[in-house]
Amino acid sequence: MTSYLKKIVILGGGSAGWMTAAALSSQLDPKFVSVTLVESDQIGTIGVGEATIPEIINFNRHLGIREDEFMKATHATFKLGIEFVDWGRKGDAYIHPFGGHGVDMNGYEFHQYWLRSRADGNAYPIDAYSMSAVASRQSRFDLPGTTNSPRSHLRYAYHFDATLYARYLRSYAEARGVRRVEGKVEDILQAPESGDITALRLDTGETIDGELFFDCTGFSALLIGKTLGVGYHDWSHWLPCDTAQAVPCAHAGPLLPYTRSTARTAGWQWRIPTQTRTGNGHIYSSAFMEDDEATAILLANLDGEAMASPRKIRFKAGHRHAFWKNNCVAIGLSAGFLEPLESTSIYLIQEGISRFIALFPDASLPEVVRKEYNQHMQTEFEQVRDFIILHYNATERDDTPFWNYCRNMSIPDSLSHKIDLFRTAGRTYAYREELFGRPSWIAVFLGQGIMPRSFDPVIAMLPSDAVRDSLDSMRQAMHAEAGRMPTHAAFLQSYCPAVGA
């Protein structure tokens, strides 16, 4: 008979630890498999990953979490996409929306029709044909529903307080049998021959033994890095930003249903509105900017009064050589870090957990399972990496040394191929369950000025007035539909007002 794991230990809380605990507790019977999470209140969490992408909806649904209850508890707002300001050129702005642009027709992608109409003089940007972008511009929101109206094309995610999300998932996990142990690790015990981790010895004197360990200790990577010695792939050549300053501020103005990313002198600044505050951060390269200047830029560009002092975070873009080594799986920052330009931090936690559950091993922890997991997670990181690099490299800005570096730097062959393919005739393809599909690549390509030299020859044969009329009809229908939706703030107040706000 197959032997199964009986003792799983998670070291570290925060979003990574409690997402792992919640997901495992939703799948495993505590009568057969014990799950223990060890964390210390003395060790803080990063807690700035407040913007998400639509895949978080599936994670919460798999846990059986009600959306309105989760949003109330985490002070969440809705997110329809990301606005990018000053990235391609200073003064430019575009929205990378969730969902697609327009409607594909006759087996051809919508953006090919848009390229044809642009050649005929259409001045509307492609995000004028995205329901999510149109609603964003009007600061409106409603649930998509299942009708055939333009509203059914809405796709959304959330902004929320990551600390409150971890607290919410802790309650969920503990109610399903997860045991939380308070304490700091003083010693990590390993099997002499295999090097497998056998137990954690805490400062309380308690020893927590286990068969499988999750490292959710953040940048310290206490298990996967310091104990098992797994090295790190450094991607700072392509992603030179290595520091963030983060600070919350009071609301000012309407509660917008999208994240804003504004390019600065040597990096970029995020704006993430929750129901009770706005999260802000300035990510920059310390090789091109001093900390004091970065802090001054952040504070000078807040919408409202700062609610705390800025907190500095150092990081290095990249990932571990292995995400699963011996009997240890790294989740979250201990596994790797990619700056949250496209809000992928929580997604990469989610994917690490989901892939582990999909490959859930027996007690022997087969090597082939570890190999498959590592290959999958490496591919995930590399694909997200390329998409983030695109934002930096696809710029015409030459006003600072930082942007000159980004515009002229060498890029991975995998990204160079995608850019060249799109430049020829607007072609782009997704590979191996790639997270960012064609609409996302198209939004950034076009938003930052990578314009195809031609478009699909079949579309070129269509009557010009027929193409124009189809696009006008779509654009007008989306604009009218957005006008019938409630404001984002009004919808939140009726659906999920923040608890304790």
Side-chain angles (χ1 to χ4, degrees):
M1 293 181 62
T2 301
S3 60
Y4 56 85
L5 292 166
K6 299 179 180 64
K7 290 184 179 181
I8 296 175
V9 178
I10 303 166
L11 179 58
S15 298
W18 286 112
M19 285 177 72
T20 303
L24 291 175
S25 70
S26 74
Q27 300 291 317
L28 304 175
D29 188 333
K31 293 194 298 289
F32 298 100
V33 185
S34 70
V35 178
T36 303
L37 187 145
V38 178
E39 67 174 342
S40 172
D41 290 333
Q42 300 175 46
I43 300 174
T45 59
I46 297 296
V48 298
E50 296 165 327
T52 60
I53 57 178
E55 281 69 16
I56 189 68
I57 296 173
N58 294 329
F59 184 81
N60 286 348
R61 283 178 179 165
H62 287 158
L63 298 184
I65 291 173
R66 276 185 51 173
E67 181 177 74
D68 58 339
E69 290 182 355
F70 140 76
M71 294 187 71
K72 290 177 182 179
T74 61
H75 302 177
T77 60
F78 289 98
K79 173 184 173 179
L80 292 169
I82 305 174
E83 180 186 40
F84 289 93
V85 179
D86 292 343
W87 279 83
R89 292 179 297 184
K90 292 194 75 172
D92 284 356
Y94 70 94
I95 288 181
H96 168 200
F98 297 138
H101 301 96
V103 177
D104 295 348
M105 296 177 284
N106 302 316
Y108 293 92
E109 295 171 318
F110 172 80
H111 77 280
Q112 294 287 352
Y113 291 90
W114 179 84
L115 290 169
R116 164 66 192 276
S117 74
R118 181 179 178 275
D120 290 336
N122 179 10
Y124 287 100
I126 196 165
D127 61 20
Y129 303 88
S130 159
M131 191 67 232
S132 292
V134 171
S136 293
R137 294 292 191 205
Q138 296 189 30
S139 194
R140 295 180 180 273
F141 183 83
D142 203 350
L143 295 175
T146 57
T147 66
N148 291 322
S149 75
R151 195 174 310 192
S152 65
H153 293 275
L154 285 171
R155 209 167 166 232
Y156 66 88
Y158 312 106
H159 305 120
F160 56 67
D161 186 313
T163 300
L164 294 179
Y165 187 50
R167 187 179 304 167
Y168 182 83
L169 293 180
R170 173 182 170 180
S171 296
Y172 176 98
E174 288 184 321
R176 286 159 180 79
V178 173
R179 175 187 171 223
R180 178 190 181 274
V181 176
E182 167 69 26
K184 294 177 68 175
V185 173
E186 285 197 337
D187 194 17
I188 297 166
L189 308 181
Q190 294 176 266
E193 294 183 1
S194 66
D196 285 354
I197 299 168
T198 57
L200 310 177
R201 186 174 294 135
L202 309 183
D203 59 354
T204 61
E206 186 173 1
T207 297
I208 308 295
D209 63 310
E211 298 167 288
L212 181 75
F213 292 78
F214 283 93
D215 186 343
C216 300
T217 61
F219 289 130
S220 67
L222 187 58
L223 301 182
I224 197 76
K226 292 180 180 176
T227 301
L228 296 178
V230 177
Y232 197 82
H233 287 295
D234 182 354
W235 287 340
S236 55
H237 166 74
W238 296 310
L239 298 170
C241 290
D242 59 4
T243 312
Q245 302 276 355
V247 66
C249 76
H251 285 311
L255 200 57
L256 303 178
Y258 56 89
T259 304
R260 177 176 290 147
S261 167
T262 303
R264 300 294 184 203
T265 307
W268 59 279
Q269 184 169 335
W270 77 72
R271 179 190 183 280
I272 300 171
T274 68
Q275 290 190 51
T276 52
R277 61 183 175 86
T278 298
N280 306 274
H282 183 190
I283 283 183
Y284 57 98
S285 170
S286 62
F288 292 91
M289 179 173 285
E290 297 294 332
D291 293 342
D292 289 347
E293 183 183 1
T295 302
I297 290 173
L298 171 63
L299 294 176
N301 289 282
L302 300 180
D303 290 346
E305 184 179 353
M307 300 170 67
S309 298
R311 183 161 54 101
K312 186 168 73 173
I313 303 162
R314 294 283 192 192
F315 57 83
K316 182 184 293 183
H319 68 78
R320 295 283 158 191
H321 293 162
F323 301 85
W324 183 348
K325 176 72 180 297
N326 288 55
N327 63 336
C328 176
V329 181
I331 300 289
L333 299 177
S334 60
F337 180 83
L338 292 171
E339 61 191 74
L341 184 59
E342 283 286 353
S343 308
T344 52
S345 298
I346 286 179
Y347 166 78
L348 290 169
I349 293 172
Q350 175 185 336
E351 185 61 19
I353 298 164
S354 300
R355 183 58 52 162
F356 173 82
I357 290 175
L359 292 167
F360 199 89
D362 60 32
S364 69
L365 305 180
E367 173 62 27
V368 68
V369 173
R370 294 199 297 267
K371 183 176 181 180
E372 174 63 24
Y373 181 89
N374 285 324
Q375 180 58 56
H376 175 82
M377 293 305 300
Q378 178 177 325
T379 300
E380 284 282 345
F381 267 79
E382 288 175 350
Q383 289 174 340
V384 174
R385 174 203 67 191
D386 283 4
F387 192 54
I388 294 175
I389 294 171
L390 171 65
H391 297 65
Y392 286 104
N393 186 243
T395 185
E396 297 176 22
R397 289 187 58 165
D398 59 1
D399 53 303
T400 71
F402 174 82
W403 289 108
N404 279 328
Y405 172 85
C406 292
R407 193 181 70 256
N408 294 310
M409 68 182 175
S410 64
I411 59 176
D413 291 343
S414 49
L415 174 58
S416 181
H417 171 74
K418 281 204 168 190
I419 293 174
D420 290 345
L421 187 64
F422 189 76
R423 275 202 172 111
T424 56
R427 316 286 192 192
T428 184
Y429 297 96
Y431 303 99
R432 290 194 61 176
E433 303 175 357
E434 190 169 356
L435 170 62
F436 292 106
R438 287 178 293 187
S440 293
W441 285 91
I442 290 165
V444 179
F445 281 144
L446 297 177
Q448 295 193 203
I450 297 180
M451 198 61 62
R453 290 186 285 269
S454 62
F455 47 86
D456 194 294
V458 175
I459 304 300
M461 301 176 194
L462 297 176
S464 158
D465 55 347
V467 174
R468 182 191 63 243
D469 291 348
S470 292
L471 266 64
D472 283 349
S473 175
M474 287 184 203
R475 179 176 52 78
Q476 291 164 8
M478 290 178 181
H479 184 83
E481 185 69 16
R484 290 188 284 269
M485 293 160 58
T487 66
H488 182 220
F491 186 88
L492 290 168
Q493 188 58 39
S494 65
Y495 183 65
C496 56
V499 173

